[in-house]
């Protein structure tokens, strides 16, 4: 039978044609693999950075919330400006040793804490890390307080060095049994705005913190049993809590409902071989150990400002950061005694990816950046970093 025209039994691919086909197919496959490998790397990097951004965003939001509330219920007690005449002269700045509990010069609410003794609870306390290390930030505030100068007058004078003597509120203008609550806190304070006390106490408004353990609404008496770790076991043990008498009448002594106490410390926990660095949150009021708030945080830097020189409504920050109105924003920044109550607090967090990026380009120059008076990383690494900075204006 005659073969079909144009088709022979010997038709097919030559060796050269096969080689060309194989080479082209290999090039296409290699290009496709390279493209998808690149896309996978971009995806992995973006996933890491999204996680870092979420961690640092959540941590920043938490810090802002607590700093903004700092000092709530403490008006008239420490670093006050209730009369808009400026902070009390001689009050110390809000920066000092790592443990402000018994630090001198003492500042903050007086309180008794079992196992420690008489302590001080400041509204804001910054511990500047030495040699550029991370800072530590401690804030305190009450929930449920009015924020007024005083809630009611002392109904019976409270003698000096007698913290366990009866604490009575004035029956006029009205009883406050619906305000004070067992399990919360009460402040006893000097309601006088005049510096009538002898030095060095005349700059201290005299606020002492007690836990409410019972209420006698018939006698208008607040019970402060020694069963609470926040009440002294005896008058002797808590004598420093009442350095002078809180007098009844003429608004010399006052009682304030403080509500629940929130006393919180934020700090950076260094990483180990098996754990990432983290921002921790420690409830000093509850006596708990630090808990991880956000993983991947390698640095916390805190700067603060007061509108002092001149008082023009602007918190200046210029090239000479040693002389501007921001403190702790540059290495060796002096801490002025004229800025006791910060008008603004600037929080800077540095976060890093939880795992290194082995393909990070220019890794020889990659390290933790320096911010404020913080120090840059000592050695290069392959982590990716993100910085977030926010300024908070405390309400109290």
């Amino acid at each position: 039978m005659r073969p079909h025209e144009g088709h022979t039994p010997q038709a097919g691919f030559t060796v050269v044609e096969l080689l060309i086909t194989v080479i082209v197919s290999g090039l296409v496959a290699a290009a496709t693999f390279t493209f998808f490998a690149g896309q996978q790397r971009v995806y992995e990097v973006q996933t890491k950075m999204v996680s870092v951004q979420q961690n640092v965003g959540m941590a920043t939001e938490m810090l802002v919330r607590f700093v903004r509330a700092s000092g709530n219920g403490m008006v008239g007690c420490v670093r006050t400006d209730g009369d808009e005449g400026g902070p009390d002269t001689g009050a110390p700045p809000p920066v000092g040793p790592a443990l402000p509990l018994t630090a001198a010069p003492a500042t903050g609410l007086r309180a008794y804490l079992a196992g420690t003794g008489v302590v001080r609870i400041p509204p804001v306390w910054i511990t500047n890390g030495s040699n550029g290390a991370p800072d530590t930030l401690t804030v305190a505030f009450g929930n449920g307080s009015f924020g007024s100068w005083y809630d009611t007058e002392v109904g019976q004078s409270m003698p000096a060095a007698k913290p366990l003597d009866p604490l009575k509120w004035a029956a006029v203008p009205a009883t406050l049994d619906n305000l004070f609550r067992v399990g919360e806190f009460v402040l006893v304070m000097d309601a006088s705005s005049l510096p009538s006390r002898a030095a060095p106490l005349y700059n201290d408004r005299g606020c002492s913190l007690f836990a409410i353990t019972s209420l006698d609404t018939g006698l208008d008496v607040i019970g402060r049993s020694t069963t609470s770790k926040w009440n002294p076991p005896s008058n002797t043990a808590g004598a420093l809590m009442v350095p002078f008498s809180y007098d009844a009448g003429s608004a010399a002594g006052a009682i304030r409902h403080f509500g629940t106490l929130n006393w919180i410390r934020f700090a950076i926990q260094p990483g180990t071989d098996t754990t990432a660095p983290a921002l921790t949150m420690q409830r000093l009021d509850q006596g708990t150990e630090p808990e991880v708030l956000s993983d991947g945080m390698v640095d916390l830097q805190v700067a603060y400002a007061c509108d002092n020189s001149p008082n023009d409504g602007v918190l200046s920050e210029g090239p000479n950061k040693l002389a501007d109105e921001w403190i702790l924003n540059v290495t060796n920044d002096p801490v002025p005694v004229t800025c006791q109550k910060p008008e603004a607090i600037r929080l800077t967090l540095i976060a890093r990816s939880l795992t290194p990026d082995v393909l990070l380009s220019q890794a020889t120059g990659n390290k933790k950046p320096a911010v404020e008076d913080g120090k840059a990383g000592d050695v290069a690494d392959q982590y990716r970093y993100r910085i977030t900075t926010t300024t908070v204006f405390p309400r109290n």
Side-chain angles (χ1 to χ4, degrees):
M1 186 175 179
R2 186 177 177 180
H4 189 275
E5 186 178 354
H7 179 76
T8 64
Q10 293 80 23
F13 294 104
T14 66
V15 173
V16 174
E17 290 173 329
L18 287 172
L19 288 175
I20 293 174
T21 302
V22 170
I23 292 173
V24 172
S25 300
L27 291 174
V28 172
T32 303
F33 176 81
T34 302
F35 172 77
F36 281 106
Q39 291 299 309
Q40 178 65 24
R41 180 174 178 273
V42 171
Y43 172 78
E44 291 176 352
V45 170
Q46 292 302 315
T47 300
K48 288 180 180 179
M49 297 320 300
V50 167
S51 177
V52 171
Q53 200 67 39
Q54 288 177 338
N55 285 346
V56 74
M58 184 272 291
T60 300
E61 181 181 358
M62 183 71 73
L63 281 170
V64 168
R65 184 151 51 98
F66 281 100
V67 172
R68 186 171 287 129
S70 63
N72 187 39
M74 297 185 184
V75 62
C77 295
V78 288
R79 289 198 287 276
T80 60
D81 195 13
D83 57 359
E84 298 182 354
D88 287 348
T89 304
V95 57
L99 293 177
L101 302 180
T102 56
T107 183
L109 304 179
R110 282 186 298 269
Y112 183 91
L113 182 57
T116 303
V118 177
V119 299
R120 288 285 188 149
I121 303 178
V124 173
W125 193 265
I126 304 164
T127 300
N128 194 38
S130 60
N131 300 319
D135 296 343
T136 299
L137 177 65
T138 305
V139 297
F141 57 91
N143 280 342
S145 42
F146 289 112
S148 56
W149 277 101
Y150 62 92
D151 296 331
T152 185
E153 294 178 4
V154 172
Q156 176 180 323
S157 295
M158 190 175 188
K162 299 288 186 180
L164 293 185
D165 274 25
L167 180 55
K168 187 178 177 65
W169 71 80
V172 179
T175 58
L176 299 179
D177 53 281
N178 61 338
L179 175 61
F180 298 109
R181 294 178 178 86
V182 174
E184 295 185 343
F185 289 83
V186 60
L187 283 179
V188 186
M189 55 187 297
D190 175 16
S192 172
S193 61
L194 300 176
S196 57
R197 308 292 181 181
L201 297 175
Y202 60 82
N203 288 320
D204 187 334
R205 298 290 184 179
C207 295
S208 296
L209 185 74
F210 296 97
I212 303 173
T213 57
S214 64
L215 291 171
D216 189 329
T217 57
L219 298 176
D220 297 335
V221 171
I222 297 174
R224 290 154 298 138
S225 168
T226 58
T227 56
S228 172
K229 68 177 183 179
W230 290 102
N231 292 331
S234 67
N235 279 334
T236 301
L240 294 177
M241 292 182 63
V242 188
F244 45 78
S245 298
Y246 297 102
D247 301 324
S250 303
I255 301 176
R256 171 178 298 165
H257 172 243
F258 191 69
T260 58
L261 171 65
N262 297 265
W263 191 20
I264 302 152
R265 176 176 295 154
F266 297 96
I268 295 296
Q269 176 179 282
T272 65
D273 293 337
T274 57
T275 61
L279 176 69
T280 63
M281 174 179 173
Q282 183 179 11
R283 294 296 301 259
L284 300 177
D285 53 305
Q286 297 178 2
T288 57
E289 293 297 317
E291 297 182 357
V292 172
L293 180 62
S294 184
D295 289 317
M297 304 297 114
V298 295
D299 201 357
L300 167 64
Q301 293 295 324
V302 185
Y304 66 99
C306 287
D307 186 17
N308 286 335
S309 55
N311 188 356
D312 56 2
V314 178
L315 300 175
S316 63
E317 187 171 24
N320 184 8
K321 293 187 176 183
L322 290 173
D324 62 16
E325 292 179 323
W326 282 91
I327 300 104
L328 306 183
N329 63 332
V330 67
T331 303
N332 298 322
D333 203 3
V335 177
V337 296
T338 55
C339 182
Q340 301 101 350
K341 181 184 178 183
E343 295 178 41
I345 297 176
R346 191 164 63 204
L347 306 168
T348 302
L349 277 171
I350 302 179
R352 78 174 196 195
S353 55
L354 298 182
T355 57
D357 183 356
V358 296
L359 299 178
L360 182 64
S361 60
Q362 300 177 342
T364 55
N366 186 75
K367 60 178 67 175
K368 180 180 79 71
V371 294
E372 305 290 12
D373 63 347
K375 179 183 175 184
D378 294 324
V379 296
D381 56 44
Q382 292 180 305
Y383 292 98
R384 291 184 176 270
Y385 293 92
R386 284 292 182 270
I387 303 174
T388 179
T389 299
T390 185
T391 301
V392 185
F393 299 90
R395 296 171 178 168
N396 308 290

